[in-house]
Amino acid sequence: MLICSRACFLGSVTARRVGNKVIGHLRQRFPRGSQIFLWHRRARRDISSLVGTVVDTQEVRVILPIDTTPSNGEALPDMGESFAAILKATGPLDPIVTAVVHPCDDASLGGALEARDQGLITPLLVGPEARIRNVAEENDLDLTGLEIVTSLHSHDSAQKAVRLVHEGRAQALMKGALHTDEIMSEVVHKERGLRTERRMSHIFVLDVPTYSKLLLISDAAINIFPDLQTKADIIQNAIELGHALGVDLPKVAILSAVETIYPKIPSTVEAGALCKMADRGQITGGLLDGPLAFDNAVSKEAAEAKGIVSEVAGDPDILIAPDLEAGNMIAKQLMYLASADSAGLVMGARVPVMLTSRADGTLSRVISAALAQLVVHHRQGKSIL
């Protein structure tokens, strides 16, 4: 990931390697020929500066000259130790057949092909064939050997992708260039969807430079105001992902504004109830504590200062937000203010769903594919973590 700075503009650049150049897409247009200063965003890594030139104001593209030394096929951007460990762990595993839903832009198609090149997935492209091939041609992407299931439009792509799962032809779904509600409306459909006995939920997986291990945050994308039973499912889904990542007993911090039960703040009461549900075996496989405020959830010092005695406080694997708004803000604050790299999955469906944002870069898409691969093999009893 690179950071771009020019006059009043400051923002991230999603970059990918093409031959001996790096192509990055900006969020703002600049005049053709503008010089833009870029650098690696992770303070914990070596800082290297580059000056890019805007070559196409229509596509807002920057091309940066870089070292021409062969990269041994590794085109991924800089990543933290936790994400690198995930990618390394998938090495012995077979790729999973993944229906890539409507990959009709260079980010989604390129991300799927990079996941293929990393040995994570076997893409089954679902979308208008002419558009997919045009994107591949425009961005020099190789579709050799890949099957394309043609569709009329994005809604049709989502429906056909879900059907591939029912037919046993796909083991996972990957979101492409379509809105989240388009793909999820098919996934949650009562008749033809991929429902299970558990409510579906989204889990952010973050590699935070200032935290000692992976941090899972849920739910920040699907369940807006979850009730108690939905929160129990959200926790169980996150615990299952934690198990797939090799955490035998994930520590789950259930967040609120305070760390004591206060009836005027309903999330504190629900947090206490969820912990009791775990005591009674209604939630299994994890160690729960809550309510916990964010500070004493992630900081042992803050927890000790408030006299909190807990195996979870200061060392959680999973943070459970009181609602979608809080979860989304927590995750994005860590991404943009703490330089966290992110990936994400939807759990609770018959197959894992890689639900990346259209603004996400290649790394996010690839690590999301690695997560899905680990989940599929974990469910088959082939976990290696």
Side-chain angles (χ1 to χ4, degrees):
M1 180 63 74
L2 301 171
I3 300 295
C4 167
S5 178
R6 178 183 182 272
C8 62
F9 176 84
L10 177 66
S12 61
V13 181
T14 300
R16 61 184 176 87
R17 184 166 181 164
V18 178
N20 66 339
K21 298 176 181 179
V22 169
I23 298 178
H25 293 271
L26 305 176
R27 297 178 181 176
Q28 178 176 326
R29 297 187 179 190
F30 294 104
R32 188 187 304 271
S34 299
Q35 297 294 300
I36 296 181
F37 183 71
L38 302 106
W39 67 94
H40 286 289
R41 72 173 183 168
R42 283 182 176 270
R44 68 174 176 175
R45 305 187 186 284
D46 294 335
I47 303 297
S48 58
S49 300
L50 293 165
V51 176
T53 302
V54 177
V55 297
D56 189 336
T57 58
Q58 183 65 37
E59 296 184 6
V60 198
R61 181 175 294 181
V62 176
I63 296 184
L64 316 167
I66 62 173
D67 185 6
T68 58
T69 304
S71 62
N72 298 320
E74 295 182 2
L76 291 179
D78 188 29
M79 73 180 79
E81 294 177 3
S82 295
F83 274 9
I86 289 177
L87 206 54
K88 183 178 180 181
T90 64
L93 300 176
D94 293 331
I96 57 174
V97 179
T98 300
V100 185
V101 188
H102 211 69
C104 294
D105 63 9
D106 62 331
S108 58
L109 184 57
L113 297 185
E114 183 61 39
R116 173 202 61 184
D117 295 342
Q118 294 290 330
L120 305 173
I121 68 171
T122 299
L124 188 55
L125 307 179
V126 186
E129 183 170 0
R131 288 185 61 186
I132 293 173
R133 293 196 181 279
N134 285 340
V135 170
E137 183 178 353
E138 291 171 0
N139 294 275
D140 195 26
L141 300 173
D142 184 11
L143 300 183
T144 302
L146 294 185
E147 180 181 353
I148 299 177
V149 177
T150 191
S151 68
L152 300 175
H153 43 69
S154 55
H155 287 286
D156 191 37
S157 298
Q159 187 171 341
K160 288 184 175 179
V162 169
R163 189 182 306 153
L164 290 171
V165 175
H166 284 291
E167 294 171 354
R169 297 182 59 195
Q171 298 169 283
L173 298 179
M174 175 184 280
K175 175 178 173 287
L178 74 170
H179 291 287
T180 296
D181 59 354
E182 289 182 284
I183 182 172
M184 288 308 301
S185 64
E186 286 298 320
V187 173
V188 304
H189 196 279
K190 289 184 178 180
E191 284 78 33
R192 58 176 182 265
L194 301 174
R195 289 172 176 251
T196 66
E197 74 282 355
R198 223 186 280 162
R199 185 71 173 259
M200 296 178 207
S201 58
H202 179 269
I203 305 163
F204 270 117
V205 179
L206 300 184
D207 188 347
V208 187
T210 54
Y211 197 63
S212 61
K213 55 185 176 180
L214 284 174
L215 189 61
L216 280 59
I217 299 176
S218 193
D219 182 348
I222 294 180
N223 296 287
I224 301 174
F225 296 113
D227 59 20
L228 183 64
Q229 186 55 56
T230 300
K231 286 185 177 180
D233 288 343
I234 289 170
I235 292 171
Q236 198 67 66
N237 289 337
I239 288 173
E240 182 188 1
L241 180 54
H243 289 166
L245 291 170
V247 184
D248 293 332
L249 188 68
K251 297 178 180 179
V252 183
I254 307 170
L255 299 181
S256 186
V258 295
E259 62 280 350
T260 56
I261 292 178
Y262 183 54
K264 290 185 179 180
I265 304 179
S267 60
T268 66
V269 179
E270 291 183 343
L274 290 163
C275 291
K276 184 53 65 177
M277 290 173 74
D279 292 343
R280 296 290 185 266
Q282 294 173 271
I283 300 172
T284 61
L287 181 63
L288 279 60
D289 198 1
L292 291 170
F294 184 83
D295 56 348
N296 46 61
V298 300
S299 168
K300 285 185 180 295
E301 291 78 9
E304 290 172 358
K306 293 194 174 184
I308 298 172
V309 179
S310 167
E311 295 182 59
V312 175
D315 190 40
D317 300 287
I318 299 167
L319 299 179
I320 299 299
D323 56 36
L324 183 147
E325 292 173 318
N328 195 278
M329 285 186 277
I330 292 168
K332 289 181 178 176
Q333 283 169 351
L334 290 172
M335 292 177 208
Y336 285 88
L337 298 180
S339 296
D341 284 326
S342 69
L345 278 186
V346 172
M347 298 285 286
R350 288 178 54 182
V351 298
V353 182
M354 295 157 249
L355 197 67
T356 52
S357 165
R358 285 170 291 172
D360 286 334
T362 299
L363 179 62
S364 179
R365 297 171 191 274
V366 168
I367 299 300
S368 297
L371 296 173
Q373 185 188 32
L374 289 169
V375 168
V376 170
H377 285 281
H378 174 75
R379 289 176 177 177
Q380 296 173 348
K382 302 177 183 178
S383 300
I384 61 172
L385 284 172

